[in-house]
Amino acid sequence: MQRSFLGLAVAAGLLAGGAAMAAGLGFLAETPISRFDKDDLKLMNGAVDRALTTAEVGTPVRWANDRTSSSGEVTAQREFQHAGRPCRELKVVNRHRRLEASGVYTLCREDGQWKLSQ
């Protein structure tokens, strides 16, 4: 199953507030992305886009919003082909004030879009 990474980031940001608690996703309530505003999400998604399309493997793409005390970096850890599609493994680190979270995600390009691969 694959999902658009941008859609996932936006969905996680929306769910991480009060709706997440009501939906049994309370574990998202204390994550940096739950505190991100639209500008933070735009900056983070821009960093993801650059890490997928132009950044060299191993080179972090950093972003920061001084107004909200949010920041992070996205690093392509490797690139490879899967079923004839270009893929990149990204390490994403996000911060908001004292909160920090990170994860590693594999995205592959399909039908002109980068999609999260499980």
Side-chain angles (χ1 to χ4, degrees), residues 4 6 12 20 48 50 66 74 76 81 83 88 94 105-106 109:
S4 162
L6 178 60
V48 168
R50 286 190 306 279
D66 293 336
V74 183
Q81 294 280 319
R88 279 197 167 199
N94 287 315
Y105 306 94
T106 300
R109 192 153 179 85

Side-chain angles (χ1 to χ4, degrees), residues 52-85:
L52 287 170
T53 58
T54 60
E56 291 186 31
V57 171
T59 302
V61 178
R62 293 182 172 83
W63 67 272
N65 185 340
D66 293 336
R67 183 182 55 78
T68 63
S69 299
S70 296
S71 65
E73 62 262 350
V74 183
T75 307
Q77 295 186 315
R78 67 184 182 114
E79 72 183 344
F80 58 97
Q81 294 280 319
H82 177 70
R85 296 174 296 152

Side-chain angles (χ1 to χ4, degrees), residues 8-108:
L8 176 68
V10 172
L14 293 174
L15 286 174
M21 295 295 245
L25 300 174
F27 67 92
L28 290 174
E30 291 302 317
T31 62
I33 202 165
S34 72
R35 305 294 199 265
F36 287 0
D37 69 9
K38 65 179 179 163
D39 293 332
D40 296 329
L41 290 171
K42 184 176 179 181
L43 290 166
M44 181 193 75
N45 284 320
V48 168
D49 183 59
R50 286 190 306 279
L52 287 170
T53 58
T54 60
E56 291 186 31
V57 171
T59 302
V61 178
R62 293 182 172 83
W63 67 272
N65 185 340
D66 293 336
R67 183 182 55 78
T68 63
S69 299
S70 296
S71 65
E73 62 262 350
V74 183
T75 307
Q77 295 186 315
R78 67 184 182 114
E79 72 183 344
F80 58 97
Q81 294 280 319
H82 177 70
R85 296 174 296 152
C87 300
R88 279 197 167 199
E89 183 180 85
L90 301 183
K91 180 175 183 183
V92 179
V93 179
N94 287 315
R95 292 178 206 81
H96 178 79
R97 296 188 179 141
R98 295 182 188 175
L99 297 174
E100 182 172 319
S102 65
V104 177
Y105 306 94
T106 300
L107 292 96
C108 296

